[in-house]
Amino acid sequence: MPTPDGRADAFAAFPDDGQRHPAVLLYPDAFGPRPVLERMARELAEHGYYVLVPNLLYRHGAAPVVDLPEHIRETARPAITAQLMPLIQAHTTERILRDADAYLEFLTTQPEVSAGPVAVIGYCIGGLLAMRTAAAHPGRVAAVAGFHPAFLVTDAPDSPHRLVSDLTAEVHLGLAEGDMSPEAIGELEQALDAAGVRYTCEIYPDTVHGFTMSDTDAFNPAALQRHWDRLLPLLGRTLTKS
């Protein structure tokens, strides 16, 4: 996909029926697009959506931008994260928003994508990007979901929880135990309430960060199913199918 800073590689999945379908922009976790994300995108596409999974770190090369084992053990996570963190830190808010503009523009040009609002969902760091995208495009984004999201409440002036007044989307946040402190959750919910945002925010039981990803030790099958049980009705309520 063309962007102001180059070309972003991505994965797309959509029904092979010759029809137009609502778009879902799916931001991956820090490990980026890989087979598990492709399977999740295909599963979502089976429900009637065009799903786009961009490589967030395309400025540093095609996905995967670092070597990943077939299964990411908890013992391997710190070393992989150490390689990725400087790249993630370089992915500034300005870059996030430029890329979001490009991804949404790309979706408008696809013949398989119907007119109307889109949904933006994200996993881990992708949850942060999803919230920023939804706040920056209130006229386009009707639903936003973040699963085991990261950095939603920080001390930064542009922390996502300070931007929720710009949201018109319905929001679902599925947290792992330990993702956010009770104080941070309270601050986020207070901001959402004050903004009049329709939302749900819940801690998925018996989970650790990364619980949706079946190629990691964090995977929790019951929590993944809860994620689908929350996500699919959210999309069904907010996106119009042709």
Side-chain angles (χ1 to χ4, degrees):
M1 296 178 291
T3 79
D5 297 331
R7 295 183 68 83
D9 53 304
F11 177 84
F14 51 89
D16 186 19
D17 58 7
Q19 303 298 311
R20 296 163 71 90
H21 301 276
V24 177
L25 174 57
L26 190 162
Y27 286 122
D29 60 5
F31 301 134
R34 57 196 192 281
V36 65
L37 268 301
E38 294 176 8
R39 291 193 297 272
M40 293 172 75
R42 287 192 177 97
E43 182 166 351
L44 192 51
E46 289 176 359
H47 292 274
Y49 302 101
Y50 183 109
V51 187
L52 180 68
V53 187
N55 172 19
L56 311 179
L57 303 178
Y58 67 88
R59 293 172 180 85
H60 305 280
V65 296
V66 301
D67 290 334
L68 295 174
E70 185 173 339
H71 186 88
I72 301 170
R73 300 290 179 191
E74 201 58 32
T75 52
R77 185 182 287 266
I80 298 171
T81 301
Q83 295 180 69
L84 289 169
M85 193 53 64
L87 311 184
I88 293 169
Q89 291 172 340
H91 198 54
T92 60
T93 299
E94 291 75 18
R95 286 184 172 185
I96 291 168
L97 296 180
R98 285 203 305 271
D99 288 349
D101 291 347
Y103 301 152
L104 292 175
E105 177 62 25
F106 173 84
L107 287 169
T108 66
T109 67
Q110 302 312 298
E112 302 87 3
V113 173
S114 58
V118 304
V120 186
I121 64 178
Y123 301 84
C124 181
I125 190 67
L128 162 67
L129 273 62
M131 290 289 280
R132 290 205 184 284
T133 300
H137 295 272
R140 289 287 316 278
V141 180
V144 58
F147 299 97
H148 41 87
F151 309 119
L152 294 186
V153 177
T154 72
D155 294 331
D158 66 344
S159 172
H161 81 287
R162 304 185 200 280
L163 306 176
V164 298
S165 61
D166 296 328
L167 291 176
T168 59
E170 183 178 345
V171 176
H172 174 72
L173 299 172
L175 309 177
E177 296 178 355
D179 266 348
M180 297 172 65
S181 69
E183 294 77 16
I185 293 172
E187 192 170 353
L188 176 59
E189 291 184 336
Q190 183 177 16
L192 290 164
D193 287 335
V197 175
R198 184 180 180 187
Y199 75 94
T200 53
C201 179
E202 62 179 305
I203 297 173
Y204 288 20
D206 303 317
T207 55
V208 296
H209 184 73
F211 59 77
T212 60
M213 297 296 148
S214 62
D215 63 347
T216 74
D217 281 354
F219 180 55
N220 181 310
L224 176 63
Q225 184 57 52
R226 179 185 290 252
H227 141 284
W228 289 121
D229 292 343
R230 300 297 188 267
L231 178 59
L232 293 174
L234 171 66
L235 300 181
R237 287 192 300 271
T238 56
L239 300 184
T240 303
K241 294 187 180 180
S242 56

